[in-house]
Amino acid sequence: GGGLYVLEDFKGDAPRLRCLSGELPAGSILRPDVSYDGRRVLFAHAKHYPGLKDEPNKLNKSNVPEDAFYHLYEMNLDGTGLRRLTHGKYDDFDGRYLPDGRIVFLSTRRGQHVQCGRRSGAASADGAGPDSYVRCGGGPSRPVAIYTLHVMDADGGNLTQISPFENFEWTPSIDADGRVLYA
């Protein structure tokens, strides 16, 4: 459950919540980011499937619906213009606007042999490619994903993996100079 809300009149006597995510099915929303001009918001959403917890092999992508994975969405702060930016059976989240208009985000996507650059990103566009998972504590019923940094254009095009690692990367943020900081 949950949603994406704007708290209006928060300094007044009667603050109120306005739901922005009412068009989306019940699910989970992660780490919103407001655009530099303050007009749009970027966030990740995954639809909730109550029976999916009982699926014994979530590593087999044919057993998991595409919208059960996190995908990046963007909308205007007035609640209009909802659009999905990423596709495929990968988890894409922690999107952050870059000063040049592109978006940096974390993903389980991985390319094929060379795992960095635009060609690697294009190899994952159809959602059929492999993911990055580790087996420490996870198995087919509870995989432990590895997220790495990617960038894309504002419309979701030109997806590019910018990290050659197969290691955990977390919480990207953008510093005042436009550099990506991450754990």
Side-chain angles (χ1 to χ4, degrees), residues 8 11 13 46 58 66-67 86-88 90 95 100 105 108 134 137 146 154 163 170 174:
E8 296 178 328
K11 291 184 179 181
D13 292 334
K58 294 179 189 78
E66 182 183 356
D67 58 355
T86 61
H87 301 274
Y90 303 102
D100 66 3
F105 64 101
T108 58
V134 294
I146 294 177
S163 174
W170 293 104
I174 312 305

Side-chain angles (χ1 to χ4, degrees), residues 43-78:
F43 60 95
H45 175 265
K47 182 178 176 181
H48 175 63
Y49 284 90
L52 193 55
K53 65 178 175 34
D54 299 322
E55 170 53 50
N57 187 356
K58 294 179 189 78
L59 289 176
N60 182 343
K61 290 183 176 189
S62 65
N63 296 336
V64 181
E66 182 183 356
D67 58 355
F69 290 85
Y70 281 99
H71 293 287
L72 290 174
Y73 289 80
E74 183 184 54
M75 69 170 45
N76 298 321
L77 277 178
D78 66 3

Side-chain angles (χ1 to χ4, degrees), residues 107-128:
S107 181
T108 58
R109 297 168 185 271
R110 60 185 274 193
Q112 301 306 308
H113 303 290
V114 176
Q115 295 186 38
C116 194
R118 197 167 280 168
R119 184 176 290 168
S120 179
S124 70
D126 64 3

